[in-house]
Amino acid sequence: MKRLFDIAVSAVVITMLASVFVAIAVAVLLESGLPVFYSQDRVGRGYRRFRIWKFRSMQRNNSGPGITVRGDKRITRVGKFLRATKLDELPQFWNVFVGDMSLVGPRPEVFEYVEMYRERYDRILTVRPGITDLASVRFRDEESILAAASNLSEYYAQHVLPEKLDLAEEYLRKRSLLFDISIILRTIRVLMRAP
């Protein structure tokens, strides 16, 4: 039932927002050229690796930490808007449609962080990762939270990620289609508020 829900909703979103996808792609292209999309390896259900897709929100060929904070100078003007509204994540509906992800589920992480908490991920990765989850609501403005950290990677790994894993485990205990719908509605409410 959950997979059918994922396919139906992602197909509707991709179809209905096709013009929005094109407009965002053109905006990214005009400001900073190709590529329009950004992809990265993430770890999915059963530790299967997949490519997660986003609209590119940073300068091309940028260097620096993999974690970004509010005010990061690598983020383009269009990228700031896309990140604030989460429109940069719209291409992940394709990840949902093809089965890499679900609409709701623990957010997928990079291999480095999964390995740090392998025992906890053994349980968490029994389900597909999602576009949104309880942690997406709790850490709506994660870039601002991380901005105060002196060591981004260390702070994320030792303070933010463990709390996200707690929320992922809570999701596993409560998961149902109705709970998924409630998380989707909570996510929409959070997105409608200014960051």
Side-chain angles (χ1 to χ4, degrees), residues 62-80:
N62 67 79
S63 60
I67 298 173
T68 55
V69 299
R70 185 169 296 283
D72 192 315
K73 298 192 182 302
R74 298 173 296 169
I75 302 172
T76 65
R77 284 176 300 170
V78 170
K80 287 177 185 175

Side-chain angles (χ1 to χ4, degrees), residues 21 24-25 28 33 35-42 50-58 66-68 75 79 82-83 86-95 101 107-110 130-131 136 142-143 156 164:
F21 277 73
I24 293 172
V28 172
V36 167
F37 297 103
Y38 166 79
S39 68
Q40 185 184 49
D41 277 341
R42 297 289 176 96
F50 71 97
R51 301 290 287 178
I52 194 171
W53 292 93
K54 298 183 179 186
F55 283 111
R56 183 170 58 80
S57 60
M58 300 179 75
I67 298 173
T68 55
I75 302 172
L82 295 179
R83 283 169 173 256
K86 297 297 184 184
L87 289 172
D88 62 320
E89 298 190 3
L90 279 178
Q92 288 167 42
F93 282 97
W94 176 254
N95 286 118
M101 295 174 64
R107 284 294 293 167
E109 271 296 349
V110 296
I131 290 180
S136 299
E142 183 178 312
E143 290 182 355
Y156 180 80
K164 287 185 173 183

Side-chain angles (χ1 to χ4, degrees), residues 11 14 17-18 20 39 41 66 68 97 118 131-132 150 164 167 178:
I14 291 168
L17 298 184
V20 175
S39 68
D41 277 341
T68 55
F97 186 75
R118 182 87 184 197
I131 290 180
T132 189
S150 56
K164 287 185 173 183
L167 292 168
L178 285 177

Side-chain angles (χ1 to χ4, degrees), residues 34 44 52 76 100 113 134 144 154 173:
L34 293 171
I52 194 171
T76 65
D100 295 327
Y113 292 126
L134 294 170
S144 292
E154 183 179 302
R173 291 192 300 270

